[in-house]
Amino acid sequence: MMRYDFGVGEKRDWLVGEDRFDDAHQGKGEAIFCQGNGYLGQRAALEESYAGQTRDLLVTGTFDRFDAGEVTELPNLPDLTNLQLHINGQRFAMADGNTENYRRVMDLQTGGLCRELIWTGRDGLRYQLRFERFVSMTREHVLGLRASITPLDGDAAVRAESGIDGRVTNTGAAHFHEGEKRIFDMRILRMISKTVQSEVTCCLSAAHRYTLNGADVSGRMLPIIDRRYMAMRGDFSVKQGQTLTIEKLCSVTTSRDQGYIGLADAAELAAQDGPEQLKAALALGYDALFEESAAAWRRIWDQADVRVASDHPFDQLLLRFALYHLNIMVKKDDSRVGIGAKGLTGEGYKGHSFWDTEIFILPYFVLTQPDTARTLLEYRYQGLPGARRKAWENGFEGAMYPWEAAWVDDGEVTPLWGAADVVTGKQIPILTGMIEQHITADVAFAVRLYQAVTGDMDFMRRCGYEIILDTARFWASRVTWDEGKNAYVICDVIGPDEYKEHVDNNAYTNYMADHNLRLALEAMDDLRKANDEACRRLDAQFDFSALRKKILNVRSKLYLPRPDENGIVAQFDGYMDLQHIDLTPYKQASVVGTIYNDYNNEQISSFQVHKQADTLVLMLLLEDLFDGDTKRKNYEFYESRTLHDSSLSKSTHCVLAADLNLTDTAYRFFEGCGGIDLGPNMGTSDMGVHTASMGGIWQCAVYGFGGVRVVGDQLHIAPRLPDAWQTLEFQLIWQGRKLRVTAARDKTRILNLGSKEVQIIVSGAHVVLPAGGVYDR
Ligand code: IFM
């Protein structure tokens, strides 16, 4: 089994590592040790090549459609991390020889990744090897690698070849034309490649520096240019005990970069700027660049860290692992791009954004980095034309957000076909893009959360109100009249639980739609009161009187399933008639989705079995609509029928269990969230880490055990720690004021670090905290 806790002493809670190389499970390490800065993600495939590697370099926003029958995806850019070493005539590969003292460790505190080992080749001699790399947190276009080799038992002839490798695909789809290759001053390699459909020009540059025991030996290199490949090759005699070090600094620029918005010559600029960025990096050198980036990481940790004193030290590491990934998955200042379900750590879900962002990830950013949250919501604002197009194409009004979103104006990009049906052998159609529609209400919910936490009226006037109004217009047109129920209904949807397709009146969808409609009424009230330019613009666009009338009518008769005689809110119409089967084997399975080995979609639809939290997400998001007793009954009912086959499930259960004072159960769900990417199942992260789970881990700690919640316009804090935890410490930004919360089992301390008073609810009591004031009780 893999070990992930590598730190000792001061570093105990910062180092995530692995202590053996297993070529059957490279995807895990490649994803969890991925490095990035929101602009680019460099998957941690090893420098030397192995079968089964996925060498991804993904740059946010560079979406391309390989074929007319496919959807856009983030293309895998030419690889910069390859480095092939031949030692005394043998290619260095751990699978071929004997490897000892192996460890690969990611230092979450600095963002640096390091691999060390001693390798014995066929010559029977031992070589000490060390590989390091970083992606700069300050210079988003720059990344660096360093490798060193020390022969321990005798002299070695070392051949090193490293460069830019354009022989890459996304599982076979080649997104780039051949491109242009050039080596400047026999030092700087540059490859310019253009995507086949979106015509995004990507410029990759790299330069090497070789030293032997500190003396520069870079002069002895042979340039190589080949089909989709370029490199520098060098031959070196390294005496026993000497160290040959190879430093490789690289830059990545693309014509989609923010700096070139609206410029006709973006492609040329990207091609020129790439080598310039690299030259500036070279002038600083590897160590200074790494230190500059590590300092940026320290600043992030100063404001982002969540500290926990736990009986299980892994808890702290897990929280930091999640925070690390939360901070590399997002381009914090570019509202043309969202967060992919796998971030930039792998090709899974093609780089597309889902409700994962608004419901699972955004709360972290809203409450700790509101500017980033605003950027993410502006991305949805920029997606309004695509959402309007989708509504229109489906015969509705307003804005219907894509279930999967890519480039801002791509509209719906959910693929149409999925895995094999175990009964028919046909490909299963993916219906989420057509009928998983709650995303539209989720976006509106997130806008309102942002408004409540930040009070940012400028954003609301520019973007927020318009999103809320146009999504409400969608729901008002989406409902249909049901004579039997004498109510408006929402038929033929998929709710959050994707094991149930074509259902009517999914409780989550209906309640969230109703919430969206309510937000629109409130928005029109706010706007009317302000009576400003935004009010006039939006009134002209939406006709407030007509929209209000329509929404009031729909809301007054919208079917909202109520708790039945047992207190259960049916997930959808007819749910209670479904068969309840024994789920034990699937619940106990160590991998997800095992029910599909026995049943197909149609059969699963006839069972009371859930992939993930559905009605329970509703009871968390709109918590003031349901009393504690109803929540408890529904939690018990639905949890026993849920397989947690989605990475979005366990965190919801954790927070709800904590709300119900089931703190030890909640703690087990928190541990379960840790297992999603850092657990013993080696295949879970092959396609990339689960970004929603990273947000979910933060929610477990802060929403769950910290009892933080935003209800209406009020911030609630009500810590309740699990038995394993002695203290929990985190920071929040509420209405622009920074709050530091320290919770112990019998004590809560809240420090207002802001310059103005705040009003909050602490464990049910209204508290006024002046600037600099402390709540301590
Ligand atoms: O958005 C999720 C969905 O809820 C479950 N399937 C995976 C998607 C992306 O993470």
Side-chain angles (χ1 to χ4, degrees):
M1 186 185 312
M2 206 61 95
R3 273 184 56 206
Y4 294 109
D5 48 335
F6 269 75
V8 285
E10 268 180 31
K11 279 289 192 181
R12 189 181 74 161
D13 303 322
W14 292 103
L15 304 184
V16 185
E18 62 183 17
D19 56 6
R20 69 189 161 86
F21 168 70
D22 180 351
D23 60 354
H25 297 300
Q26 295 177 74
K28 180 73 151 194
E30 289 172 359
I32 65 173
F33 300 137
C34 181
Q35 293 164 297
N37 51 27
Y39 169 75
L40 67 85
Q42 177 59 62
R43 204 170 147 98
L46 299 179
E47 286 74 4
E48 67 281 8
S49 36
Y50 298 93
Q53 261 177 344
T54 308
R55 307 184 78 92
D56 281 331
L57 167 59
L58 302 171
V59 174
T60 188
T62 54
F63 289 103
D64 182 59
R65 199 174 66 228
F66 170 66
D67 182 89
E70 297 196 354
V71 293
T72 55
E73 67 182 329
L74 276 188
N76 184 13
L77 267 65
D79 177 55
L80 294 164
T81 59
N82 64 82
L83 166 64
Q84 307 300 332
L85 293 172
H86 284 79
I87 307 171
N88 284 338
Q90 186 187 351
R91 190 177 80 87
F92 162 66
M94 289 183 290
D96 187 9
N98 186 38
T99 300
E100 296 164 276
N101 294 9
Y102 173 91
R103 32 186 265 158
R104 183 158 60 145
V105 175
M106 159 64 74
D107 183 346
L108 302 169
Q109 196 171 27
T110 62
L113 179 63
C114 176
R115 171 170 59 125
E116 290 172 322
L117 58 116
I118 294 177
W119 182 68
T120 309
R122 280 198 295 269
D123 58 8
L125 304 180
R126 291 176 308 138
Y127 303 95
Q128 183 156 3
L129 290 124
R130 183 182 165 89
F131 300 85
E132 297 161 71
R133 54 169 89 168
F134 71 93
V135 168
S136 175
M137 254 297 162
T138 41
R139 299 165 190 253
E140 64 185 13
H141 302 283
V142 172
L143 59 148
L145 295 91
R146 179 151 67 190
S148 62
I149 168 163
T150 311
L152 298 177
D153 299 331
D155 300 349
V158 178
R159 168 169 286 191
E161 185 171 318
S162 161
I164 307 175
D165 191 349
R167 299 168 297 186
V168 291
T169 65
N170 289 54
T171 46
H175 278 282
F176 289 95
H177 294 293
E178 166 71 36
E180 182 196 315
K181 288 149 280 187
R182 170 90 198 266
I183 300 174
F184 297 95
D185 305 325
M186 275 306 143
R187 179 143 199 238
I188 295 184
L189 285 69
R190 184 184 71 177
M191 182 182 284
I192 303 171
S193 311
K194 198 190 265 188
T195 55
V196 289
Q197 170 266 330
S198 55
E199 301 191 341
V200 177
T201 295
C202 298
C203 172
L204 294 300
S205 306
H208 302 84
R209 180 166 174 262
Y210 286 73
T211 53
L212 190 57
N213 266 9
D216 200 312
V217 288
S218 308
R220 312 179 199 163
M221 306 301 293
L222 176 75
I224 299 170
I225 292 189
D226 207 335
R227 191 174 186 200
R228 292 180 184 260
Y229 180 72
M230 60 194 307
M232 299 297 266
R233 180 189 295 159
D235 286 295
F236 306 91
S237 301
V238 187
K239 299 219 172 309
Q240 179 178 352
Q242 284 189 326
T243 299
L244 175 71
T245 302
I246 304 146
E247 284 175 2
K248 182 176 186 181
L249 293 178
C250 310
S251 73
V252 184
T253 49
T254 87
S255 55
R256 277 261 158 103
D257 291 354
Q258 223 174 347
Y260 311 134
I261 296 176
L263 300 183
D265 53 351
E268 292 93 89
L269 290 170
Q272 281 163 23
D273 287 350
E276 292 307 317
Q277 296 272 357
L278 180 58
K279 281 184 202 155
L282 287 167
L284 268 184
Y286 186 99
D287 285 320
L289 287 167
F290 175 68
E291 192 34 56
E292 180 186 85
S293 175
W297 268 109
R298 280 192 284 275
R299 287 193 293 278
I300 291 175
W301 287 113
D302 277 349
Q303 50 126 354
D305 203 10
V306 175
R307 293 200 184 97
V308 59
S310 168
D311 295 343
H312 307 136
F314 186 71
D315 295 349
Q316 178 66 79
L317 191 65
L318 174 62
L319 278 162
R320 288 191 173 139
F321 173 75
L323 292 166
Y324 166 82
H325 276 284
L326 283 162
N327 280 282
I328 66 167
M329 67 175 72
V330 57
K331 175 98 170 77
K332 300 182 178 182
D333 57 354
D334 190 347
S335 56
R336 300 168 307 154
V337 289
I339 296 176
K342 306 286 184 188
L344 299 169
T345 69
E347 294 168 28
Y349 292 118
K350 302 178 185 300
H352 297 171
S353 306
F354 295 67
W355 73 314
D356 305 33
T357 304
E358 282 70 25
I359 301 303
F360 295 85
I361 299 169
L362 197 99
Y364 163 73
F365 287 112
V366 173
L367 281 157
T368 64
Q369 300 178 33
D371 291 350
T372 304
R374 187 185 58 239
T375 304
L376 288 166
L377 292 170
E378 283 170 353
Y379 167 68
R380 289 302 190 181
Y381 181 72
Q382 298 214 42
L384 271 177
R388 289 182 181 127
R389 198 165 65 236
K390 181 174 173 187
W392 182 80
E393 282 165 2
N394 285 277
F396 304 120
E397 293 170 13
M400 179 186 191
Y401 273 100
W403 174 244
E404 295 186 26
W407 187 238
V408 266
D409 52 17
D410 282 350
E412 181 59 73
V413 288
T414 305
L416 295 177
W417 298 100
D421 183 317
V422 288
V423 175
T424 66
K426 293 183 184 163
Q427 246 191 309
I428 302 173
I430 301 178
L431 301 178
T432 48
M434 280 167 267
I435 58 174
E436 189 153 359
Q437 296 170 357
H438 60 82
I439 174 80
T440 293
D442 301 333
V443 172
F445 177 90
V447 168
R448 180 65 182 95
L449 176 70
Y450 173 81
Q451 181 190 2
V453 175
T454 64
D456 179 354
M457 293 312 292
D458 171 62
F459 168 79
M460 291 307 290
R461 280 190 289 266
R462 277 189 302 112
C463 314
Y465 285 133
E466 191 172 337
I467 293 177
I468 287 173
L469 292 171
D470 228 5
T471 47
R473 224 156 72 90
F474 162 71
W475 290 114
S477 73
R478 174 62 179 84
V479 297
T480 49
W481 182 252
D482 183 314
E483 279 300 337
K485 282 193 161 67
N486 193 31
Y488 285 112
V489 290
I490 301 177
C491 295
D492 195 17
V493 298
I494 298 176
D497 167 21
E498 294 175 342
Y499 282 174
K500 298 284 172 295
E501 296 179 336
H502 295 301
V503 301
D504 296 340
N505 296 310
N506 166 249
Y508 178 87
T509 306
N510 285 27
Y511 274 94
M512 289 297 282
D514 179 64
H515 180 69
N516 195 160
L517 293 165
R518 179 161 71 85
L519 293 182
L521 293 175
E522 289 170 4
M524 287 186 279
D525 288 346
D526 289 354
L527 283 159
R528 279 246 158 86
K529 258 183 242 145
N531 195 19
D532 56 5
E533 180 281 327
C535 174
R536 286 186 286 281
R537 174 171 54 84
L538 294 169
D539 194 3
Q541 188 177 337
F542 291 98
D543 184 353
F544 285 176
S545 324
L547 185 60
R548 165 178 292 280
K549 210 163 136 203
K550 194 164 181 183
I551 290 177
L552 285 173
N553 174 45
V554 171
R555 277 202 84 212
S556 67
K557 295 174 197 133
L558 181 59
Y559 177 65
L560 298 176
R562 306 281 173 204
D564 66 10
E565 62 283 7
N566 299 315
I568 308 302
V569 175
Q571 191 174 299
F572 49 82
D573 285 357
Y575 173 86
M576 292 301 172
D577 302 331
L578 302 184
Q579 196 186 341
H580 184 25
I581 61 163
D582 178 18
L583 297 172
T584 319
Y586 312 116
K587 269 188 158 292
Q588 287 174 348
S590 58
V591 290
V592 297
T594 49
I595 194 168
Y596 273 105
N597 298 341
D598 298 331
Y599 301 104
N600 71 2
N601 264 5
E602 207 180 314
Q603 293 164 316
I604 293 170
S605 292
S606 66
F607 304 144
Q608 286 185 351
V609 55
H610 313 291
K611 178 179 183 182
Q612 62 200 101
D614 186 306
T615 311
L616 296 187
V617 188
L618 161 66
M619 295 196 174
L620 192 56
L621 298 187
L622 302 182
E623 60 177 278
D624 48 339
L625 299 186
F626 303 93
D627 61 36
D629 187 46
T630 305
K631 283 186 211 165
R632 177 181 298 275
K633 286 176 173 154
N634 281 272
Y635 170 84
E636 284 165 4
F637 180 88
Y638 282 112
E639 199 290 319
S640 65
R641 290 159 173 79
T642 300
L643 299 181
H644 306 294
D645 280 354
S646 159
S647 64
L648 281 61
S649 195
K650 287 186 176 157
S651 61
T652 301
H653 284 80
C654 171
V655 179
L656 259 187
D659 283 358
L660 297 169
N661 284 319
L662 305 169
T663 39
D664 291 330
T665 307
Y667 180 72
R668 280 197 294 282
F669 278 118
F670 168 74
E671 288 182 305
C673 291
I676 292 168
D677 285 297
L678 286 186
N681 179 355
M682 296 304 287
T684 51
S685 312
D686 287 357
M687 301 299 282
V689 300
H690 302 77
T691 55
S693 171
M694 303 302 167
I697 290 168
W698 179 86
Q699 286 196 30
C700 289
V702 174
Y703 275 21
F705 304 125
V708 168
R709 215 61 52 78
V710 178
V711 184
D713 283 321
Q714 221 105 51
L715 175 66
H716 291 245
I717 303 177
R720 53 278 163 120
L721 304 189
D723 282 349
W725 289 11
Q726 290 82 52
T727 55
L728 165 68
E729 196 180 331
F730 55 87
Q731 298 192 144
L732 300 174
I733 299 184
W734 175 253
Q735 301 282 335
R737 280 77 139 179
K738 188 183 275 187
L739 303 177
R740 181 172 299 146
V741 181
T742 311
R745 196 167 305 286
D746 52 356
K747 204 170 153 71
T748 299
R749 187 168 194 274
I750 304 172
L751 173 61
N752 177 4
L753 294 162
S755 55
K756 289 196 184 134
E757 163 190 298
V758 290
Q759 303 202 15
I760 49 181
I761 314 263
V762 185
S763 301
H766 191 262
V767 169
V768 180
L769 266 187
V774 187
Y775 170 95
D776 204 350
R777 133 164 21 143

